[in-house]
Amino acid sequence: MHCKELIKGKKWVCVADGPDHPVTGKRRQVSRTAKSKGEATKKVEQAIEEMRGAIDYHKGITVREYSAEWYKQYLRRGRKDTTNQLRKEDAETLNEFMGSLEMTSVTPKGYQGFLNHLFDKELALNSIKRIHVTGRMIFKKALEEKVISEDPTVNAFIPQKKVTVEEIESDPVKDMYLEVDELKVFLTEVDKYVNYVYITLIYLLTFSGMRPGEAAALQKKDVLFKTSEIRITKTLEYGKKGENKIIPPKTMTSVRVVDLDEKIMSMLRQLGEYQKEMGYPESEFLFAMYDGHPPTVPLIRNVVKRIAKRAGIKKTMNSYILRHTHISLLAEAGVDLPQIMQRVGHKNESTTLQVYLHITKGMRVSLMSKMSDRFGNLMSSGRNDE
């Protein structure tokens, strides 16, 4: 150990060789300062001892042990409870396959084998992608913390089935939203529904592009009747045990003010009158039901499915189909992509872009009409020349 007095009678620094890095084998020096030589020496010795203890621990740390450490830190990121739960489940899936292995013994081939195993189990593609994201997060953190010297997930790929001609021709994007003729039939059936709270809620979802959780979390103060706007600052999270929480929206991009048609505003005014007539208790929630609370997202989804079935709609009516329908209506109206994204509060444009670029029936009819007007005479003249 080498010690040097920096400020006479006030400050000393001591430097000594600590244990070599457990992964890289590189030399590491430990330096500490204190008021006296003895105190600085003691600090260096203590730091070296802690490093040796950490080395002994990390040398044999398993994937299961490290993923548990990682998850404790992940909880500090302030994610939604549902997101935290998914990360925990993903880590458990990883541990089922390689939890007993030491972190340093996981190879790129071994990790790829894990993804192949999930594929062979016929797990849904989106589930495999999400689990892979979690795996990458765990091993990336381990690399940053020098627990491993190589990240085995870097060049891993997600196995996928060959796309068939039938799958290509099935055109899955068109099933993400309702065409105009389907929407008319659906809304006609909505108008017949017994509960006006759900009628208004479904109309709002269709003509605002809001997420179901955002609509359910709306409070009366969020409706700006003077300017025909609605303010979106929160969402309703549905817990596994039926516990509902009002939390911040998905992303800060989701915080927005949306302009509404006067017809929707009129329905929102009538909603308050309906709730009074039905004897619903006073509530801060816009879509309060008989118990003063708004319907949960699963309940909204079930009502939408029930109405769609009565209307004869064959498409799968998930929670977001009305949101995607709104995007398709805006696209048909000629609204550009940035404006649509701002209105629906999308940070990641992948879903919006899918719907936006998909040529709907209305756009095809318009396109053919324009082509006929522009090129009809040219095609006719070409035949006459012959």
Side-chain angles (χ1 to χ4, degrees):
M1 184 179 299
H2 173 72
C3 296
K4 181 180 179 181
E5 190 175 22
L6 298 176
I7 303 175
K8 193 169 183 179
K10 290 185 178 181
K11 191 173 184 180
W12 280 78
V13 61
C14 290
V15 182
D17 286 334
D20 292 342
H21 193 280
V23 178
T24 64
K26 291 183 178 180
R27 176 191 177 195
R28 294 190 295 179
Q29 286 192 318
V30 179
S31 174
R32 295 291 186 271
T33 58
K35 291 181 179 180
S36 66
K37 179 179 179 182
E39 190 178 348
T41 300
K42 188 175 180 180
K43 282 186 176 182
V44 170
E45 291 173 346
Q46 185 177 355
I48 291 174
E49 190 62 32
E50 288 175 356
M51 289 173 68
R52 284 176 178 149
I55 288 171
D56 291 339
Y57 175 70
H58 285 304
K59 269 183 179 178
I61 191 169
T62 64
V63 174
R64 179 173 284 104
E65 291 168 337
Y66 186 79
S67 62
E69 283 189 7
W70 169 84
Y71 183 67
K72 288 178 183 176
Q73 294 301 318
Y74 182 81
L75 290 176
R76 297 176 182 271
R77 295 189 177 191
R79 306 297 190 199
K80 293 196 299 184
D81 290 345
T82 50
T83 303
N84 291 336
Q85 182 61 32
L86 286 173
R87 294 298 177 209
K88 184 179 180 181
E89 292 173 4
D90 294 343
E92 288 172 354
T93 302
L94 180 71
N95 289 330
E96 287 174 7
F97 188 82
M98 60 176 69
S100 60
L101 296 177
E102 293 181 3
M103 287 291 290
T104 54
S105 67
V106 179
T107 62
K109 183 177 181 180
Y111 184 80
Q112 184 63 58
F114 165 62
L115 296 179
N116 294 345
H117 167 72
L118 298 178
F119 176 78
D120 293 339
K121 284 177 63 179
E122 297 186 349
L123 207 63
L125 179 61
N126 284 340
S127 297
I128 299 177
K129 286 180 177 179
R130 194 192 65 239
I131 293 168
H132 178 45
V133 168
T134 302
R136 291 198 66 177
M137 292 171 74
I138 291 171
F139 283 98
K140 181 182 178 182
K141 191 63 179 177
L143 184 66
E144 291 173 358
E145 295 181 340
K146 310 298 184 184
V147 175
I148 57 177
S149 59
E150 178 186 16
D151 183 352
T153 71
V154 170
N155 295 315
F157 66 91
I158 297 173
Q160 295 187 40
K161 294 178 181 178
K162 289 183 178 179
V163 179
T164 64
V165 173
E166 290 77 12
E167 288 171 334
I168 293 173
E169 293 179 347
S170 68
D171 195 5
V173 178
K174 71 178 183 181
D175 292 328
M176 293 171 65
Y177 61 90
L178 299 178
E179 299 280 4
V180 172
D181 54 348
E182 293 173 318
L183 180 59
K184 287 179 180 178
V185 173
F186 174 72
L187 291 178
T188 299
E189 200 63 40
V190 170
D191 291 336
K192 301 175 186 177
Y193 199 69
V194 294
N195 193 314
Y196 192 70
V197 174
Y198 279 108
I199 294 175
T200 311
L201 178 55
I202 291 171
Y203 265 86
L204 179 65
L205 291 173
T206 305
F207 295 101
S208 71
M210 295 176 66
R211 299 177 178 90
E214 293 173 340
L218 286 173
Q219 297 177 342
K220 292 175 181 176
K221 65 181 182 181
D222 296 320
V223 183
L224 311 176
F225 285 104
K226 289 184 178 180
T227 55
S228 296
E229 296 172 324
I230 205 157
R231 183 177 54 198
I232 304 167
T233 60
K234 48 196 168 290
T235 188
L236 182 71
E237 183 180 54
Y238 179 72
K240 276 197 166 184
K241 298 180 180 178
E243 299 173 352
N244 300 316
K245 296 180 182 178
I246 299 298
I247 61 173
K250 190 174 181 180
T251 64
M252 288 310 295
T253 312
S254 301
V255 177
R256 61 200 188 279
V257 174
V258 175
D259 297 306
L260 295 178
D261 186 88
E262 184 52 39
K263 291 180 181 179
I264 303 298
M265 298 304 296
S266 177
M267 292 181 73
L268 292 176
R269 291 187 185 95
Q270 293 175 35
L271 174 62
E273 297 174 8
Y274 171 83
Q275 289 164 327
K276 287 180 181 178
E277 290 175 6
M278 296 299 294
Y280 289 177
E282 279 293 323
S283 173
E284 61 183 346
F285 290 108
L286 179 63
F287 293 106
M289 301 287 283
Y290 64 91
D291 58 356
H293 294 283
T296 62
V297 173
L299 279 175
I300 297 170
R301 180 174 61 244
N302 289 339
V303 170
V304 168
K305 283 183 176 181
R306 201 179 307 135
I307 295 173
K309 186 176 181 181
R310 292 174 185 171
I313 304 295
K314 303 299 182 184
K315 293 178 178 178
T316 302
M317 298 296 287
N318 56 42
S319 300
Y320 280 73
I321 195 165
L322 298 179
R323 176 172 165 83
H324 298 156
T325 299
H326 185 69
I327 293 170
S328 73
L329 292 173
L330 294 176
E332 282 198 29
V335 181
D336 60 36
L337 183 59
Q339 284 183 295
I340 293 177
M341 288 179 62
Q342 184 179 11
R343 182 171 174 84
V344 300
H346 253 168
K347 181 179 180 182
N348 185 341
E349 65 179 63
S350 58
T351 305
T352 309
L353 191 60
Q354 271 187 295
V355 177
Y356 183 79
L357 294 179
H358 191 268
I359 302 178
T360 63
K361 286 181 180 178
M363 293 176 75
R364 286 199 297 272
V365 171
S366 175
L367 176 62
M368 290 305 298
S369 176
K370 289 177 181 178
M371 287 178 63
S372 178
D373 291 343
R374 182 71 180 84
F375 306 130
N377 293 334
L378 291 173
M379 290 186 283
S380 299
S381 63
R383 288 197 302 273
N384 291 335
D385 288 344
E386 292 177 359

